[in-house]
């Protein structure tokens, strides 16, 4: 196989693994065409989990001769894997279009706003505080704290505007700037633009020295095939699964340091409204939802999933409620709790507080809302430490810039 084709497969490995289906048919077809042999078939289909088996297929095929790439593309087409085929055959065209996108990301933190995000009155770093060392805490002292990507899909093809989402965007930009992050806000991205921005953001995070990564996504959503994820609707009406997004941030090899990655999803996960045990009157039909359907263990390996925190605005199957004036309930309460408590409380404690605040809200039309959050190898306490840095830089300084002069 040509070096270019091998690099193409490796560069697109996460996407290929995600979109490939009917693995048995692919392997049988490749065996019939003598691209692989019986031993290779058995090796690929060993009971290592579906994702690992797909990865082995795409790794093994790279050593099967100069015609292997063409044969693979043909087999993917014959087995109905048109999306996987397109990942490979349309790669160059896609790259050319992506290069035309506006990928300008700011590299500047404005003056820390103590009036919005409270800092510790004694300027005490909570990740170093002895009472918080068991369990251990993630180190959160870099300047900047990290990079925060905020994606808001407000205008979606053939759907009403998500009124109130611009309020959410402004609140989140103010919050994460106040916490010490370089904020990258992006709005109304198509599927291709969305995926391109995700990949460019990952490149920035890899080249910049930072303590953490934040990805905040706001859009209409739909229930996915598995209940733990949600399909995000992009501006052109296409869908991107949250598991695909999270997988892009999973390192391909064991990282040298632990970088916490925080994902927040403001989107519906179904069409069910929660009216509780007894119907409760609330604000009179002023809220909307982010549903798309409403009219108003092996010891020789290191685990791949590590340092990942995921928070959803609602539980599987249910709607996420958004006020056209004040923004979504989830974002409202998240910003309120974090900006006033991040100086001395960890993320897990604050999520409990956010859920308690959201529990107090109710709507006549859509009922209640329950948050859900989970972790994948996120096994340390997480403190934002607003305004406090390893370099002891004064939080009153007017500007903090990134050290990397290259912008994307």
């Amino acid at each position: 196989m040509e070096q270019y084709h091998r690099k193409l497969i490796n560069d697109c490995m996460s996407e290929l693994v995600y979109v490939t289906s009917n693995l048995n048919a692919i392997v049988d077809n490749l065996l019939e065409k003598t691209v692989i042999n019986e031993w290779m078939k058995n090796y690929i289909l060993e009971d290592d989990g579906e994702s690992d088996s797909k990865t082995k297929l795409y790794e093994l095929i790279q050593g099967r001769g100069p015609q292997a790439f063409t044969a693979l593309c043909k087999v993917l087409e014959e087995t109905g894997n048109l999306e996987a085929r397109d990942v490979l055959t349309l790669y160059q065209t896609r790259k050319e279009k992506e290069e035309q996108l506006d990928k300008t990301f700011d590299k500047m933190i404005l003056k820390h706003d103590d009036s919005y995000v409270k800092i510790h009155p004694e300027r005490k770093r909570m990740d170093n505080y002895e009472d918080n060392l068991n369990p251990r805490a993630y180190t959160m002292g870099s300047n900047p704290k990290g990079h925060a990507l905020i994606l808001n899909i407000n205008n979606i093809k053939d759907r009403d505007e998500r009124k109130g989402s611009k309020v959410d965007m402004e609140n989140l930009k103010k919050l994460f700037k106040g916490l010490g992050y370089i904020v990258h806000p992006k709005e109304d991205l198509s599927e291709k633009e969305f995926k391109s921005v995700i990949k460019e953001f990952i490149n920035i995070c890899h080249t910049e020295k930072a303590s953490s990564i934040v990805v905040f996504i706001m859009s209409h959503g739909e229930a996915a095939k598995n209940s733990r994820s949600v399909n995000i609707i992009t501006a052109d009406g296409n869908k991107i699964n949250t598991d695909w997004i999270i997988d892009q941030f999973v390192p391909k090899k064991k990282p040298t340091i632990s970088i916490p990655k925080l994902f927040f999803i403001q989107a519906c996960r179904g069409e069910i409204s929660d009216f509780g045990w007894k119907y409760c009157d609330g604000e009179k039909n002023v809220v909307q939802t982010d549903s798309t359907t409403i009219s108003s263990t092996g010891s020789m390996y290191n685990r791949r999933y590590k340092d990942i925190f995921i928070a959803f605005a609602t539980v599987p199957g249910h709607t996420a409620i958004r006020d056209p004036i004040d923004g979504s309930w989830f974002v409202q309460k998240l910003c309120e709790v974090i900006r006033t408590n991040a100086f001395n409380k960890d993320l897990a404690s604050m999520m409990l507080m956010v859920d308690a605040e959201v529990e107090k809200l109710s709507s006549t039309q859509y009922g209640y809302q329950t948050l859900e959050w989970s972790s994948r190898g996120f096994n340390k306490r997480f403190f934002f430490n607003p305004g406090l840095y390893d370099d002891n830089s004064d939080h009153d300084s007017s500007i903090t810039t990134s050290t990397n002069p290259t912008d994307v």
Side-chain angles (χ1 to χ4, degrees):
M1 184 177 291
E2 296 289 341
Q3 180 64 30
Y4 165 77
H5 288 143
R6 289 198 294 270
K7 184 177 186 305
L8 171 57
I9 291 174
N10 290 325
D11 286 347
C12 300
M13 184 67 76
S14 295
E15 189 170 1
L16 286 169
V17 169
Y18 181 76
V19 302
T20 300
S21 61
N22 204 2
L23 181 62
N24 284 303
I26 295 173
V27 172
D28 287 339
N29 207 318
L30 289 171
L31 178 63
E32 183 179 337
K33 298 180 186 298
T34 67
V35 178
I36 63 174
N37 57 36
E38 192 70 33
W39 179 89
M40 294 173 182
K41 172 185 174 179
N42 294 334
Y43 168 73
I44 293 169
L45 298 179
E46 282 177 352
D47 190 17
D48 293 329
E50 188 175 4
S51 293
D52 286 342
S53 294
K54 293 175 185 177
T55 301
K56 287 193 290 187
L57 164 67
Y58 287 114
E59 289 176 343
L60 187 148
I61 199 74
Q62 297 178 42
R64 299 307 299 159
Q67 302 303 317
F69 183 83
T70 302
L72 173 63
C73 293
K74 185 173 180 60
V75 167
L76 290 173
E77 181 176 346
E78 291 172 351
T79 55
N81 282 277
L82 301 183
E83 192 169 357
R85 177 207 62 186
D86 289 347
V87 168
L88 296 175
T89 59
L90 301 180
Y91 179 80
Q92 190 63 41
T93 302
R94 187 169 74 239
K95 289 295 289 183
E96 290 172 356
K97 290 182 177 179
E98 287 172 355
E99 287 169 1
Q100 299 171 8
L101 297 176
D102 175 15
K103 300 173 188 170
T104 302
F105 289 129
D106 292 334
K107 295 289 183 71
M108 181 180 296
I109 301 174
L110 301 180
K111 180 179 179 180
H112 182 84
D113 186 357
D114 290 359
S115 65
Y116 189 75
V117 177
K118 186 176 180 180
I119 68 170
H120 200 288
E122 300 174 12
R123 298 183 61 77
K124 182 183 293 183
R125 282 271 301 274
M126 299 307 294
D127 55 342
N128 293 336
Y129 191 44
E130 62 181 14
D131 289 349
N132 295 324
L133 296 181
N134 189 18
R136 294 175 300 165
Y138 288 102
T139 301
M140 281 296 293
S142 68
N143 187 3
K145 298 289 185 182
H147 290 262
L149 176 64
I150 307 175
L151 299 177
N152 180 33
I153 312 299
N154 182 47
N155 296 293
I156 299 175
K157 181 180 179 182
D158 299 328
R159 302 185 191 277
D160 293 336
E161 179 188 1
R162 296 179 55 253
K163 295 180 179 178
S165 70
K166 290 187 179 296
V167 177
D168 289 340
M169 173 65 92
E170 292 307 310
N171 286 337
L172 289 170
K173 287 194 296 185
K174 193 172 182 180
L175 174 67
F176 285 105
K177 283 183 179 179
L179 290 170
Y181 285 80
I182 296 175
V183 178
H184 312 291
K186 296 290 180 180
E187 293 190 285
D188 296 340
L189 302 177
S190 67
E191 178 189 9
K192 290 182 178 180
E193 291 169 341
F194 193 113
K195 290 181 176 180
S196 173
V197 165
I198 288 288
K199 292 176 181 178
E200 292 298 330
F201 178 67
I202 291 171
N203 289 336
I204 287 177
C205 294
H206 284 170
T207 56
E208 294 286 322
K209 183 179 180 181
S211 294
S212 67
I213 297 169
V214 174
V215 178
F216 209 117
I217 299 171
M218 299 178 286
S219 184
H220 285 310
E222 291 181 351
K225 290 181 180 179
N226 67 72
S227 61
R228 76 173 186 176
S229 66
V230 60
N231 289 327
I232 299 298
I233 311 301
T234 54
D236 53 358
N238 292 322
K239 303 172 187 177
I240 299 178
N241 188 269
T242 51
D243 273 354
W244 179 87
I245 297 169
I246 293 167
D247 275 349
Q248 305 313 298
F249 291 82
V250 176
K252 293 180 174 60
K253 59 182 180 180
K254 183 180 179 181
T256 55
I257 57 174
S258 296
I259 304 295
K261 296 166 279 290
L262 315 182
F263 297 88
F264 299 90
I265 313 296
Q266 165 59 39
C268 283
R269 304 174 73 183
E271 303 173 31
I272 302 170
S273 294
D274 178 8
F275 292 102
W277 297 110
K278 183 179 180 181
Y279 188 85
C280 176
D281 289 336
E283 297 180 24
K284 192 169 182 178
N285 295 342
V286 298
V287 297
Q288 302 175 358
T289 74
D290 277 322
S291 169
T292 64
T293 57
I294 66 164
S295 56
S296 74
T297 69
S299 60
M300 59 186 294
Y301 296 102
N302 290 292
R303 60 184 183 183
R304 293 177 63 236
Y305 292 96
K306 185 174 175 60
D307 308 312
I308 294 172
F309 172 88
I310 309 160
F312 289 97
T314 189
V315 294
H318 287 69
T319 56
I321 303 172
R322 174 173 32 82
D323 188 294
I325 304 300
D326 297 324
S328 65
W329 288 1
F330 176 49
V331 175
Q332 285 180 54
K333 298 307 177 184
L334 186 81
C335 289
E336 288 176 13
V337 168
I338 292 180
R339 74 183 184 88
T340 55
N341 294 277
F343 74 96
N344 70 345
K345 287 185 169 57
D346 68 340
L347 180 61
S349 300
M350 289 189 289
M351 289 305 301
L352 294 174
M353 297 168 67
V354 175
D355 189 52
E357 290 299 313
V358 172
E359 184 180 12
K360 299 175 184 177
L361 303 175
S362 64
S363 158
T364 302
Q365 187 174 4
Y366 297 111
Y368 295 90
Q369 181 171 318
T370 303
L371 311 188
E372 181 181 79
W373 60 94
S374 62
S375 63
R376 300 176 189 175
F378 197 85
N379 51 22
K380 302 177 186 177
R381 301 181 74 181
F382 181 92
F383 295 92
F384 283 106
N385 293 324
L388 305 178
Y389 304 96
D390 289 334
D391 59 8
N392 297 314
S393 58
D394 189 344
H395 70 281
D396 289 329
S397 60
S398 60
I399 289 179
T400 301
T401 58
S402 166
T403 56
N404 188 344
T406 305
D407 209 353
V408 181

